[in-house]
């Protein structure tokens, strides 16, 4: 069948029905190789297993299905039957299978599935349904199938159809026996599937959009609706990304992995052969070396005998030489002991001389440092004496100036004290007179107002003789109108100086007093 599929059937075009051709080939094979007495699987299920076997088997004669594909097929069947997969059970079976052969023929595979070893507790009808589901997926490329309601394009009525989803088409029939075909929905990368809201009393609606038409479809429940939407979207994505069907892609990956493992195994076997050949070469070399060692051992025994004979002779000769050498050695040891004593004394004297040299060197260094320090101290004393002489000259000069200043300040101090006492008394008198003058000032103001009128009259009279007395201005002081400011009275008389002059005189007097007290 792999050869027919590859070289003939895959090139056939038109409406050729491959399934009928498969059935004809199965009829020819089953009569010869499948005895009726051992038929534990129905003919229909056996035919479907035969087609699945042709799809999964290796492309070499005689056809066998390898353990990896057996595991894949058994997993598919157990999933379709709804039972759990027993990996440990298959491991034990695979160990027995590897001991006998590298794979199973179609007849051994049919017997294995019919024996119920991996379908315990399942009846024949359940096994047949599982085989049919795997056959539909792997051989007929059916991704999903089931009853759905479809809305008509002309009458807009809803009819129940059996839908079959394949990698490039959705075909719907009148019933699940696939005899009454009603139409096709061709799928490509431009198609779109989307969910629709409930309307017109219909629930679980979805829409399949193609370039020419759109199809409204209704499922029996939300779960089936979601499963169909996901399945159709998967087919559209396969066309969009140019991918093969999932089971074909998985088969290609398994075959690639097996080829890779086989290549690695062959490479390992080649390496093992090379290692074995190298090991044999090494064994031969070791055998040659062993013979060479045996011959060498024999020669070494003869040489050992000769060596022992010569050893006895040499031993006697060496004994005599040893005694002579011991005598010479004893003499030499005595000489060495004497020389060592002399050497120790010489080394001891050398160490003493070295210690004396170190001490002399330290003394010289101390003396040199002391001389340097003495020279530094001498220079420092000379500089200090010069500075002291200069300071003494300055101090003597300052002392003389201070004595002269003290003499002058003592005389000034006595004079200032006398003046101060006089000023204190004068100030007291001035204060008393100031009070008196304040009273008199009030009277003088009244007189001033009367005299102002008289002065204005006298001013006109004195203009004529003012030039005559100008030359005597230093001796005679003209009487002029006084200031409007309040007149002051001191111990020198009234109105001798202003208020500002009085403050200036008090300030200078205070400064002199402070310096005299210091």
């Amino acid at each position: 069948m792999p050869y027919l599929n590859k070289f003939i059937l895959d090139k056939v075009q038109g409406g050729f029905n491959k399934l009928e051709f498969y059935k004809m080939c199965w009829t020819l094979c089953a009569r010869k190789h499948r005895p009726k007495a051992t038929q534990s699987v129905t003919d229909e299920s056996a035919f479907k297993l035969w087609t699945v076997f042709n799809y999964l088997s290796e492309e070499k004669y005689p056809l066998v299905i390898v353990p990896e594909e057996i595991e894949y097929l058994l997993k598919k069947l157990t999933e379709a039957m709804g039972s759990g997969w027993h990996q440990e059970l298959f491991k034990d079976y695979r160990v027995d299978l590897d001991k006998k052969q590298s794979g199973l023929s179609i007849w051994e595979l049919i017997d294995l599935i019919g024996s119920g070893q991996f379908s315990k507790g399942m009846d024949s009808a359940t096994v047949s349904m599982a085989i049919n589901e795997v056959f539909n997926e792997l051989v007929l490329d059916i991704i999903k199938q089931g009853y759905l309601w479809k809305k008509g394009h002309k009458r807009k009525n809803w009819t129940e159809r059996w839908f079959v989803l394949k990698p490039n088409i959705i075909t719907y029939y009148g019933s699940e026996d696939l005899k009454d075909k009603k139409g096709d929905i061709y799928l490509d990368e431009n198609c779109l599937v989307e969910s629709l809201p409930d309307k017109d009393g219909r629930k679980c609606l979805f829409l399949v959009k193609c370039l020419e038409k759109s199809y409204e479809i209704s499922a029996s429940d939300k779960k089936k609706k979601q499963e169909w939407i996901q399945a159709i979207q998967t087919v559209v994505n396969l066309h969009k990304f140019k991918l093969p069907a999932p089971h074909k892609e998985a088969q290609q990956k398994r075959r690639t992995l097996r080829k890779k493992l086989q290549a690695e195994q062959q490479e390992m076997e080649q390496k093992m052969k090379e290692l074995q050949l190298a090991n044999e070469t090494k064994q031969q070399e070791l055998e040659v070396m062993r013979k060479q060692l045996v011959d060498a051992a024999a020669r070494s025994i003869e040489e050992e005998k000769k060596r022992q004979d010569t050893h006895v002779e040499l031993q006697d000769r060496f004994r005599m030489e040893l005694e002579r050498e011991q005598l010479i050695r004893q003499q030499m040891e005595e000489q060495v002991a004497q020389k060592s004593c002399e050497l120790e004394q010489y080394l001891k004297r050398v160490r003493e001389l070295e210690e004396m040299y170190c001490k002399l060197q330290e003394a010289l260094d101390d003396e040199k440092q002391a001389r340097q320090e003495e020279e530094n101290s001498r220079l420092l004393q000379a500089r200090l004496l010069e500075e002291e002489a200069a300071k003494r000259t300055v101090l003597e000069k300052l002392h003389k100036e201070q004595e002269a200043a003290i003499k002058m300040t003592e005389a000034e101090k006595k004079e200032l004290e006398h003046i101060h006492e006089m000023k204190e008394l004068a100030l007291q008198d001035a204060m008393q007179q100031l009070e008196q003058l304040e009273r008199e000032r009030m009277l003088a103001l009244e007189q001033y107002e009367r005299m102002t009128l008289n002065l204005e009259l006298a001013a006109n009279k004195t203009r004529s003789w003012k030039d005559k007395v100008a030359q005597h201005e230093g001796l005679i002081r003209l009487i002029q109108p006084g200031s409007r400011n309040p007149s002051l009275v001191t111990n020198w008389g009234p109105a001798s100086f202003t208020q500002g002059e009085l403050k200036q005189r008090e300030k200078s007097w205070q400064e002199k007093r402070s310096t005299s007290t210091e």
Side-chain angles (χ1 to χ4, degrees), residues 375-395:
E375 183 66 20
N376 293 336
S377 63
R378 187 180 63 78
L379 294 174
L380 180 62
Q381 286 178 358
R383 188 171 66 253
L384 292 174
L385 287 173
E386 291 176 358
E387 293 177 356
E388 186 177 359
K391 288 181 179 180
R392 183 175 295 173
T393 303
V394 174
L395 289 173

Side-chain angles (χ1 to χ4, degrees), residues 7 92 121 168 192 226 234 379 383 390 424 433:
F7 297 105
D92 297 338
N168 58 350
L192 178 66
Q226 192 63 30
T234 301
L379 294 174
R383 188 171 66 253
E424 287 289 337
Q433 291 176 6

Side-chain angles (χ1 to χ4, degrees), residues 238-263:
L238 292 176
H239 285 281
K240 186 178 295 184
F241 299 109
K242 308 297 182 183
L243 298 175
H247 65 276
K248 292 183 179 180
E249 185 178 6
Q251 182 193 26
Q252 187 64 31
K253 288 182 179 179
R254 292 196 304 273
R255 286 187 175 179
T256 304
L257 181 61
R258 282 200 302 275
K259 288 180 181 179
K260 182 179 179 181
L261 293 175
Q262 288 175 0

Side-chain angles (χ1 to χ4, degrees), residues 49-293:
L49 284 175
W50 178 77
T51 55
V52 171
F53 171 84
N54 291 329
Y55 174 75
L56 296 177
S57 61
E58 297 297 301
E59 295 181 355
K60 58 182 180 180
Y61 188 82
L63 293 183
V64 293
I65 182 170
V66 295
E68 291 81 5
E69 298 296 339
I70 296 172
E71 182 180 3
Y72 172 76
L73 177 59
L74 292 176
K75 280 185 179 179
K76 283 284 187 182
L77 291 174
T78 53
E79 288 175 4
M81 289 185 289
S83 60
W85 170 247
H86 302 285
Q87 185 66 32
E88 298 297 331
L89 182 62
F90 181 78
K91 284 183 179 180
D92 297 338
Y93 172 76
R94 182 168 182 172
V95 171
D96 297 336
L97 181 63
D98 291 338
K99 291 179 180 178
K100 297 178 182 178
Q101 53 192 352
S102 60
L104 295 179
S105 66
I106 175 58
W107 319 114
E108 293 172 335
L109 178 64
I110 293 173
D111 292 338
L112 173 65
I113 295 173
S115 65
Q117 183 176 353
F118 294 95
S119 60
K120 292 181 178 179
M122 298 294 174
D123 54 5
S124 58
T126 304
V127 176
S128 298
M129 288 178 62
I131 294 172
N132 183 57
E133 184 173 342
V134 175
F135 169 77
N136 289 335
E137 179 182 354
L138 300 182
V139 179
L140 300 182
D141 290 337
I142 295 176
I143 298 174
K144 190 169 181 61
Q145 60 184 347
Y147 279 108
L148 296 172
W149 291 83
K150 175 185 169 296
K151 185 177 181 180
H153 287 87
K154 295 181 179 180
R155 292 187 293 176
K156 306 297 181 183
N157 60 331
W158 290 87
T159 53
E160 189 177 24
R161 302 297 184 200
W162 178 263
F163 281 77
V164 177
L165 174 62
K166 292 185 178 182
N168 58 350
I169 192 173
I170 300 176
T171 306
Y172 49 96
Y173 301 87
S175 60
E176 58 183 309
D177 57 6
L178 307 181
K179 293 181 179 179
D180 185 12
K181 181 179 178 180
K182 296 296 183 181
D184 296 318
I185 302 174
Y186 293 97
L187 301 175
D188 55 20
E189 65 272 11
N190 298 316
C191 294
L192 178 66
V193 58
E194 59 182 13
S195 177
L196 293 177
D198 300 340
K199 63 179 180 178
D200 300 335
R202 287 287 172 183
K203 298 182 178 181
C204 305
L205 296 174
F206 63 92
L207 179 68
V208 179
K209 287 184 179 181
C210 297
L211 289 176
E212 298 179 356
K213 291 183 180 181
S214 297
Y215 302 87
E216 291 187 21
I217 302 172
S218 173
S220 59
D221 53 40
K222 291 182 179 180
K223 181 180 179 182
K224 289 185 178 180
K225 170 188 172 181
Q226 192 63 30
E227 289 176 355
W228 273 98
I229 290 175
Q230 290 179 356
I232 296 172
Q233 187 62 48
T234 301
V235 172
V236 172
N237 291 336
L238 292 176
H239 285 281
K240 186 178 295 184
F241 299 109
K242 308 297 182 183
L243 298 175
H247 65 276
K248 292 183 179 180
E249 185 178 6
Q251 182 193 26
Q252 187 64 31
K253 288 182 179 179
R254 292 196 304 273
R255 286 187 175 179
T256 304
L257 181 61
R258 282 200 302 275
K259 288 180 181 179
K260 182 179 179 181
L261 293 175
Q262 288 175 0
E264 292 178 354
Q265 186 175 2
Q266 290 176 0
E267 184 179 359
M268 185 65 69
E269 290 176 356
Q270 183 66 26
K271 288 183 179 180
M272 290 297 295
K273 289 180 181 179
E274 292 176 357
L275 289 174
Q276 187 175 2
L277 182 60
N279 190 20
E280 291 176 355
T281 305
K282 291 290 183 183
Q283 289 290 339
Q284 293 175 0
E285 293 177 356
L286 289 173
E287 184 66 22
V288 172
M289 291 177 65
R290 188 184 65 78
K291 292 180 178 179
Q292 292 176 354
L293 288 173

